[in-house]
Each structure stands twice: as C-alpha cells, then as structure tokens.
Amino acid sequence: MSVWPAWEVREGGDSTAWFHVRLAFTDGARVDALAVAGGGGVCLEDVRAQPALSLDDLAVFAEWIEEPLFEACGFTGEPGAEGEESASGRRARPPWPRGIEGRWLVAQEYRAAQEEGVDPVLAVMCATGHSRRKSLRMISQARDAGFLTPRHARR
C-alpha cells in the first residue's frame, strides 16, 4: 500500500490536505482512493477499484488503510482520538529535530520520495509539518550539509 500527498489548502489558520492512497494486489486488482485530512479527522472522498468492491469489501478496505493513512496525515495515537496537543491547537506530530539530525532526516525523506516517484518536496512537507517555503529551506540546508547532491552546478 502507498500513501502520498496530493495537495494542501490553508485558510485562516486551518489546513485541509488531500492524499492519494493505492492498494495493489498481486493478481492485478487495485484500489485507488482520495482521502481528505482536516478538522482533526480523515475521510475518503473518492474510491475507485478494479474490479469493483462490494460494500463488505469497502469496509475491509477502510480498516486496511486506516493506520497508514493516519500516519501519512500526521495524526498520532489512535485513529479518531485527539491527543492533548491537538486540543491545545498545536501540531499533532512531534517537533522535527534540529541541527544535523534534522537535516539527515530531511535528506532521507527526500530520497525515499524520489525512489517512490512522488514529489520529494511534498514528502518533506508531510513529514515535517512545515510549509513549502520552510521545507525548501530545510532541503537546502541538507544539501549544504552534504546529505543531498547539489541542485545546480555553479558556473
């Protein structure tokens, strides 16, 4: 199963993020879904399956993707349960490490996303919980630290 970010909309301090979810089976069957995370919860917006799913199969699909989807969306603890940090308005994920450890982790997220064929900047945004601008700055710092190859050749 794979989960990767699609896009995010921020409005007045609130954030809503969409994620692609794919569950592929060895016999060629697959299920693609679009999940929405916002307001402290996650819901499925669109599900497409080949071959089609019955209602019972759809319920099982929801159980299979629940935990990985919550992890990808940055929710901690039990799905559906809000922690003390969420109640106080702070980020649901723990703070990202600073310094050399944080740069190394950014590089790991970036390279893993490249290998999976997804947008590495969005992967870093999802992992860190930071904006695109801050994530690009962190990627640049990881490059400067030598954890990633230089982006452009200097002339």
Side-chain angles (χ1 to χ4, degrees), residues 19-103:
F19 293 85
H20 293 287
V21 180
R22 174 168 291 157
L23 184 58
F25 298 92
T26 56
D27 64 357
R30 95 175 186 204
V31 181
D32 292 308
L34 183 62
V36 182
V42 177
C43 64
L44 293 177
E45 192 165 283
D46 184 37
V47 177
R48 295 175 186 211
Q50 187 64 26
L53 295 174
S54 68
L55 288 177
D56 291 335
D57 292 338
L58 189 58
V60 172
F61 172 71
E63 291 173 11
W64 282 354
I65 68 168
E66 185 176 49
E67 187 175 327
L69 185 57
F70 270 73
E71 288 174 11
C73 295
F75 293 105
T76 58
E78 292 295 315
E82 292 195 30
E84 294 176 18
E85 290 184 5
S86 299
S88 67
R90 299 175 72 195
R91 289 190 318 175
R93 73 181 102 240
W96 194 258
R98 294 181 180 263
I100 202 77
E101 181 185 2
R103 292 179 186 124

